[in-house]
mmCIF file of all heavy atoms in Angstrom:
data_model
loop_
_atom_site.group_PDB
_atom_site.id
_atom_site.type_symbol
_atom_site.label_atom_id
_atom_site.label_comp_id
_atom_site.label_asym_id
_atom_site.label_seq_id
_atom_site.Cartn_x
_atom_site.Cartn_y
_atom_site.Cartn_z
ATOM 1 N N TYR U 1146 0.813 -1.106 0.023
ATOM 2 C CA TYR U 1146 0.078 0.080 -0.029
ATOM 3 C C TYR U 1146 0.847 1.223 -0.023
ATOM 4 O O TYR U 1146 1.748 1.410 0.773
ATOM 5 C CB TYR U 1146 -0.950 -0.054 1.180
ATOM 6 C CG TYR U 1146 -2.112 -0.940 1.076
ATOM 7 C CD1 TYR U 1146 -1.833 -2.325 1.152
ATOM 8 C CD2 TYR U 1146 -3.343 -0.461 0.769
ATOM 9 C CE1 TYR U 1146 -2.906 -3.207 0.936
ATOM 10 C CE2 TYR U 1146 -4.409 -1.409 0.728
ATOM 11 C CZ TYR U 1146 -4.238 -2.763 0.698
ATOM 12 O OH TYR U 1146 -5.278 -3.497 0.647
ATOM 13 N N TYR U 1147 0.493 2.197 -0.751
ATOM 14 C CA TYR U 1147 1.309 3.489 -0.923
ATOM 15 C C TYR U 1147 0.298 4.577 -0.701
ATOM 16 O O TYR U 1147 -0.833 4.661 -1.184
ATOM 17 C CB TYR U 1147 1.905 3.534 -2.337
ATOM 18 C CG TYR U 1147 2.750 2.522 -2.767
ATOM 19 C CD1 TYR U 1147 2.274 1.433 -3.456
ATOM 20 C CD2 TYR U 1147 4.133 2.635 -2.657
ATOM 21 C CE1 TYR U 1147 3.223 0.481 -3.876
ATOM 22 C CE2 TYR U 1147 4.972 1.709 -3.030
ATOM 23 C CZ TYR U 1147 4.535 0.618 -3.736
ATOM 24 O OH TYR U 1147 5.466 -0.419 -4.043
ATOM 25 N N CYS U 1148 0.713 5.675 -0.024
ATOM 26 C CA CYS U 1148 0.137 6.923 -0.060
ATOM 27 C C CYS U 1148 0.825 7.874 -1.117
ATOM 28 O O CYS U 1148 2.021 7.716 -1.288
ATOM 29 C CB CYS U 1148 0.061 7.474 1.293
ATOM 30 S SG CYS U 1148 1.528 7.999 2.071
ATOM 31 N N ALA U 1149 0.049 8.714 -1.637
ATOM 32 C CA ALA U 1149 0.592 9.599 -2.646
ATOM 33 C C ALA U 1149 0.042 11.077 -2.447
ATOM 34 O O ALA U 1149 -1.116 11.119 -1.783
ATOM 35 C CB ALA U 1149 0.494 9.107 -4.010
ATOM 36 N N ALA U 1150 0.502 12.058 -3.077
ATOM 37 C CA ALA U 1150 -0.023 13.287 -2.996
ATOM 38 C C ALA U 1150 0.260 14.219 -4.113
ATOM 39 O O ALA U 1150 1.115 13.950 -4.895
ATOM 40 C CB ALA U 1150 0.629 14.082 -1.742
ATOM 41 N N TYR U 1151 -0.681 15.220 -4.387
ATOM 42 C CA TYR U 1151 -0.412 16.172 -5.474
ATOM 43 C C TYR U 1151 -1.036 17.583 -5.041
ATOM 44 O O TYR U 1151 -1.964 17.517 -4.204
ATOM 45 C CB TYR U 1151 -0.875 15.733 -6.729
ATOM 46 C CG TYR U 1151 -2.371 15.585 -6.956
ATOM 47 C CD1 TYR U 1151 -3.179 16.681 -7.348
ATOM 48 C CD2 TYR U 1151 -3.058 14.509 -6.692
ATOM 49 C CE1 TYR U 1151 -4.521 16.670 -7.506
ATOM 50 C CE2 TYR U 1151 -4.471 14.388 -6.776
ATOM 51 C CZ TYR U 1151 -5.096 15.505 -7.206
ATOM 52 O OH TYR U 1151 -6.533 15.358 -7.443
ATOM 53 N N TYR U 1152 -0.434 18.630 -5.483
ATOM 54 C CA TYR U 1152 -0.869 19.785 -5.125
ATOM 55 C C TYR U 1152 -2.136 20.168 -5.960
ATOM 56 O O TYR U 1152 -2.227 19.789 -7.102
ATOM 57 C CB TYR U 1152 0.102 20.946 -5.540
ATOM 58 C CG TYR U 1152 -0.358 22.376 -5.357
ATOM 59 C CD1 TYR U 1152 -0.138 22.946 -4.079
ATOM 60 C CD2 TYR U 1152 -0.979 23.128 -6.248
ATOM 61 C CE1 TYR U 1152 -0.518 24.265 -3.804
ATOM 62 C CE2 TYR U 1152 -1.309 24.506 -6.027
ATOM 63 C CZ TYR U 1152 -1.198 24.905 -4.703
ATOM 64 O OH TYR U 1152 -1.626 26.247 -4.503
ATOM 65 N N SER U 1153 -3.207 20.777 -5.276
ATOM 66 C CA SER U 1153 -4.462 20.918 -6.016
ATOM 67 C C SER U 1153 -5.082 22.211 -5.522
ATOM 68 O O SER U 1153 -4.977 22.645 -4.355
ATOM 69 C CB SER U 1153 -5.481 19.709 -5.540
ATOM 70 O OG SER U 1153 -6.682 20.023 -6.130
ATOM 71 N N GLY U 1154 -5.640 22.975 -6.434
ATOM 72 C CA GLY U 1154 -6.422 24.120 -6.077
ATOM 73 C C GLY U 1154 -7.965 23.890 -6.283
ATOM 74 O O GLY U 1154 -8.777 24.771 -6.038
ATOM 75 N N GLY U 1155 -8.364 22.528 -6.461
ATOM 76 C CA GLY U 1155 -9.691 22.187 -6.597
ATOM 77 C C GLY U 1155 -10.450 21.677 -5.288
ATOM 78 O O GLY U 1155 -9.560 21.561 -4.224
ATOM 79 N N VAL U 1156 -11.539 21.178 -5.393
ATOM 80 C CA VAL U 1156 -12.212 20.575 -4.101
ATOM 81 C C VAL U 1156 -12.476 19.089 -4.217
ATOM 82 O O VAL U 1156 -12.863 18.521 -3.199
ATOM 83 C CB VAL U 1156 -13.586 21.186 -4.085
ATOM 84 C CG1 VAL U 1156 -13.514 22.851 -3.862
ATOM 85 C CG2 VAL U 1156 -14.515 20.911 -5.307
ATOM 86 N N TYR U 1157 -12.070 18.486 -5.233
ATOM 87 C CA TYR U 1157 -12.159 16.993 -5.366
ATOM 88 C C TYR U 1157 -10.684 16.350 -5.341
ATOM 89 O O TYR U 1157 -9.719 17.055 -5.223
ATOM 90 C CB TYR U 1157 -12.838 16.621 -6.736
ATOM 91 C CG TYR U 1157 -14.218 17.238 -6.684
ATOM 92 C CD1 TYR U 1157 -14.709 18.370 -7.505
ATOM 93 C CD2 TYR U 1157 -15.251 16.679 -5.877
ATOM 94 C CE1 TYR U 1157 -15.855 18.911 -7.504
ATOM 95 C CE2 TYR U 1157 -16.550 17.107 -5.888
ATOM 96 C CZ TYR U 1157 -16.854 18.287 -6.727
ATOM 97 O OH TYR U 1157 -18.094 18.808 -6.667
ATOM 98 N N CYS U 1158 -10.774 15.039 -5.493
ATOM 99 C CA CYS U 1158 -9.492 14.351 -5.546
ATOM 100 C C CYS U 1158 -9.475 13.308 -6.706
ATOM 101 O O CYS U 1158 -10.549 12.932 -7.238
ATOM 102 C CB CYS U 1158 -9.241 13.479 -4.324
ATOM 103 S SG CYS U 1158 -10.545 12.224 -3.874
ATOM 104 N N SER U 1159 -8.305 13.003 -7.290
ATOM 105 C CA SER U 1159 -8.220 12.207 -8.411
ATOM 106 C C SER U 1159 -7.909 10.729 -8.021
ATOM 107 O O SER U 1159 -7.268 10.552 -7.045
ATOM 108 C CB SER U 1159 -7.083 12.713 -9.393
ATOM 109 O OG SER U 1159 -6.887 11.834 -10.376
ATOM 110 N N SER U 1160 -8.442 9.811 -8.790
ATOM 111 C CA SER U 1160 -8.216 8.461 -8.510
ATOM 112 C C SER U 1160 -7.183 7.877 -9.523
ATOM 113 O O SER U 1160 -6.902 6.691 -9.479
ATOM 114 C CB SER U 1160 -9.506 7.578 -8.777
ATOM 115 O OG SER U 1160 -10.541 8.008 -7.915
ATOM 116 N N PHE U 1161 -6.462 8.813 -10.210
ATOM 117 C CA PHE U 1161 -5.574 8.411 -11.207
ATOM 118 C C PHE U 1161 -4.132 8.617 -10.733
ATOM 119 O O PHE U 1161 -3.651 9.753 -10.463
ATOM 120 C CB PHE U 1161 -5.731 9.073 -12.647
ATOM 121 C CG PHE U 1161 -7.008 8.935 -13.254
ATOM 122 C CD1 PHE U 1161 -8.145 9.708 -13.023
ATOM 123 C CD2 PHE U 1161 -7.241 7.780 -13.988
ATOM 124 C CE1 PHE U 1161 -9.263 9.486 -13.607
ATOM 125 C CE2 PHE U 1161 -8.435 7.441 -14.479
ATOM 126 C CZ PHE U 1161 -9.592 8.353 -14.301
ATOM 127 N N ALA U 1162 -3.404 7.527 -10.679
ATOM 128 C CA ALA U 1162 -1.991 7.650 -10.254
ATOM 129 C C ALA U 1162 -1.090 8.613 -10.888
ATOM 130 O O ALA U 1162 -0.230 9.217 -10.341
ATOM 131 C CB ALA U 1162 -1.378 6.258 -10.185
ATOM 132 N N VAL U 1163 -1.379 8.782 -12.192
ATOM 133 C CA VAL U 1163 -0.563 9.687 -12.981
ATOM 134 C C VAL U 1163 -0.656 11.108 -12.461
ATOM 135 O O VAL U 1163 0.217 11.999 -12.656
ATOM 136 C CB VAL U 1163 -0.952 9.636 -14.406
ATOM 137 C CG1 VAL U 1163 -2.385 10.190 -14.582
ATOM 138 C CG2 VAL U 1163 0.003 10.340 -15.307
ATOM 139 N N HIS U 1164 -1.679 11.523 -11.707
ATOM 140 C CA HIS U 1164 -1.846 12.927 -11.195
ATOM 141 C C HIS U 1164 -0.970 13.155 -9.975
ATOM 142 O O HIS U 1164 -0.793 14.269 -9.525
ATOM 143 C CB HIS U 1164 -3.259 13.153 -10.865
ATOM 144 C CG HIS U 1164 -4.135 13.303 -12.119
ATOM 145 N ND1 HIS U 1164 -5.427 13.077 -12.088
ATOM 146 C CD2 HIS U 1164 -3.794 13.514 -13.455
ATOM 147 C CE1 HIS U 1164 -6.045 13.234 -13.264
ATOM 148 N NE2 HIS U 1164 -5.034 13.409 -14.204
ATOM 149 N N TYR U 1165 -0.452 12.008 -9.355
ATOM 150 C CA TYR U 1165 0.220 12.240 -8.167
ATOM 151 C C TYR U 1165 1.689 12.346 -8.363
ATOM 152 O O TYR U 1165 2.388 11.595 -9.045
ATOM 153 C CB TYR U 1165 -0.073 11.010 -7.191
ATOM 154 C CG TYR U 1165 -1.496 10.993 -6.793
ATOM 155 C CD1 TYR U 1165 -2.540 10.557 -7.599
ATOM 156 C CD2 TYR U 1165 -1.808 11.362 -5.469
ATOM 157 C CE1 TYR U 1165 -3.767 10.637 -7.073
ATOM 158 C CE2 TYR U 1165 -3.150 11.387 -4.933
ATOM 159 C CZ TYR U 1165 -4.104 11.095 -5.852
ATOM 160 O OH TYR U 1165 -5.443 11.012 -5.396
ATOM 161 N N ASP U 1166 2.176 13.385 -7.602
ATOM 162 C CA ASP U 1166 3.660 13.714 -7.907
ATOM 163 C C ASP U 1166 4.617 13.196 -6.795
ATOM 164 O O ASP U 1166 5.794 12.936 -6.956
ATOM 165 C CB ASP U 1166 3.754 15.191 -7.807
ATOM 166 C CG ASP U 1166 3.061 15.912 -9.073
ATOM 167 O OD1 ASP U 1166 3.228 15.441 -10.129
ATOM 168 O OD2 ASP U 1166 2.320 16.781 -8.740
ATOM 169 N N TYR U 1167 4.000 12.877 -5.538
ATOM 170 C CA TYR U 1167 4.797 12.487 -4.363
ATOM 171 C C TYR U 1167 4.260 11.145 -3.959
ATOM 172 O O TYR U 1167 3.106 10.966 -3.787
ATOM 173 C CB TYR U 1167 4.694 13.541 -3.304
ATOM 174 C CG TYR U 1167 5.201 14.875 -3.775
ATOM 175 C CD1 TYR U 1167 4.226 15.765 -4.197
ATOM 176 C CD2 TYR U 1167 6.505 15.236 -3.730
ATOM 177 C CE1 TYR U 1167 4.657 17.040 -4.478
ATOM 178 C CE2 TYR U 1167 6.978 16.498 -4.213
ATOM 179 C CZ TYR U 1167 6.025 17.429 -4.592
ATOM 180 O OH TYR U 1167 6.472 18.615 -5.029
ATOM 181 N N TRP U 1168 5.206 10.165 -3.631
ATOM 182 C CA TRP U 1168 4.874 8.926 -3.239
ATOM 183 C C TRP U 1168 5.593 8.483 -2.083
ATOM 184 O O TRP U 1168 6.919 8.754 -1.926
ATOM 185 C CB TRP U 1168 5.113 7.911 -4.363
ATOM 186 C CG TRP U 1168 4.115 8.029 -5.502
ATOM 187 C CD1 TRP U 1168 4.381 8.996 -6.604
ATOM 188 C CD2 TRP U 1168 2.943 7.380 -5.768
ATOM 189 N NE1 TRP U 1168 3.162 8.816 -7.311
ATOM 190 C CE2 TRP U 1168 2.467 7.805 -7.101
ATOM 191 C CE3 TRP U 1168 2.262 6.242 -5.158
ATOM 192 C CZ2 TRP U 1168 1.216 7.357 -7.532
ATOM 193 C CZ3 TRP U 1168 1.064 5.787 -5.724
ATOM 194 C CH2 TRP U 1168 0.698 6.361 -6.974
ATOM 195 N N GLY U 1169 4.987 7.610 -1.085
ATOM 196 C CA GLY U 1169 5.751 7.023 -0.115
ATOM 197 C C GLY U 1169 6.404 5.826 -0.496
ATOM 198 O O GLY U 1169 6.334 5.428 -1.669
ATOM 199 N N GLN U 1170 7.012 5.225 0.395
ATOM 200 C CA GLN U 1170 7.937 4.053 0.070
ATOM 201 C C GLN U 1170 7.019 2.686 0.026
ATOM 202 O O GLN U 1170 7.435 1.608 -0.441
ATOM 203 C CB GLN U 1170 8.954 3.763 1.107
ATOM 204 C CG GLN U 1170 8.553 3.093 2.368
ATOM 205 C CD GLN U 1170 7.764 3.989 3.375
ATOM 206 O OE1 GLN U 1170 7.667 5.144 3.023
ATOM 207 N NE2 GLN U 1170 7.422 3.387 4.405
ATOM 208 N N GLY U 1171 5.772 2.673 0.613
ATOM 209 C CA GLY U 1171 4.958 1.590 0.709
ATOM 210 C C GLY U 1171 4.983 0.779 1.890
ATOM 211 O O GLY U 1171 6.092 0.742 2.499
ATOM 212 N N THR U 1172 3.963 0.145 2.234
ATOM 213 C CA THR U 1172 3.973 -0.788 3.439
ATOM 214 C C THR U 1172 3.208 -2.023 3.071
ATOM 215 O O THR U 1172 2.104 -1.983 2.462
ATOM 216 C CB THR U 1172 3.414 -0.086 4.556
ATOM 217 O OG1 THR U 1172 3.463 -0.891 5.802
ATOM 218 C CG2 THR U 1172 1.885 0.322 4.343
ATOM 219 N N GLN U 1173 3.669 -3.209 3.436
ATOM 220 C CA GLN U 1173 3.114 -4.422 3.036
ATOM 221 C C GLN U 1173 1.877 -4.762 3.937
ATOM 222 O O GLN U 1173 2.039 -4.559 5.097
ATOM 223 C CB GLN U 1173 4.143 -5.496 3.223
ATOM 224 C CG GLN U 1173 3.630 -6.921 2.940
ATOM 225 C CD GLN U 1173 3.182 -7.105 1.370
ATOM 226 O OE1 GLN U 1173 3.970 -6.765 0.464
ATOM 227 N NE2 GLN U 1173 2.050 -7.786 1.153
ATOM 228 N N VAL U 1174 0.803 -5.287 3.283
ATOM 229 C CA VAL U 1174 -0.381 -5.719 4.130
ATOM 230 C C VAL U 1174 -0.522 -7.141 3.577
ATOM 231 O O VAL U 1174 -0.730 -7.324 2.346
ATOM 232 C CB VAL U 1174 -1.665 -4.793 3.825
ATOM 233 C CG1 VAL U 1174 -2.870 -5.439 4.388
ATOM 234 C CG2 VAL U 1174 -1.373 -3.379 4.466
#
């Protein structure tokens, strides 16, 4: 599982990985 982030000026969130600029290292579940 990874968390990710991107800068946004909007009110919604994207479900598309390509929009995310920053990623964590991941954690196994």
Side-chain angles (χ1 to χ4, degrees):
Y1146 283 71
Y1147 299 88
C1148 66
Y1151 68 90
Y1152 179 88
S1153 173
V1156 298
Y1157 297 105
C1158 60
S1159 171
S1160 298
F1161 297 98
V1163 67
H1164 292 157
Y1165 290 78
D1166 299 311
Y1167 303 95
W1168 292 82
Q1170 82 288 354
T1172 185
Q1173 177 70 45
V1174 171

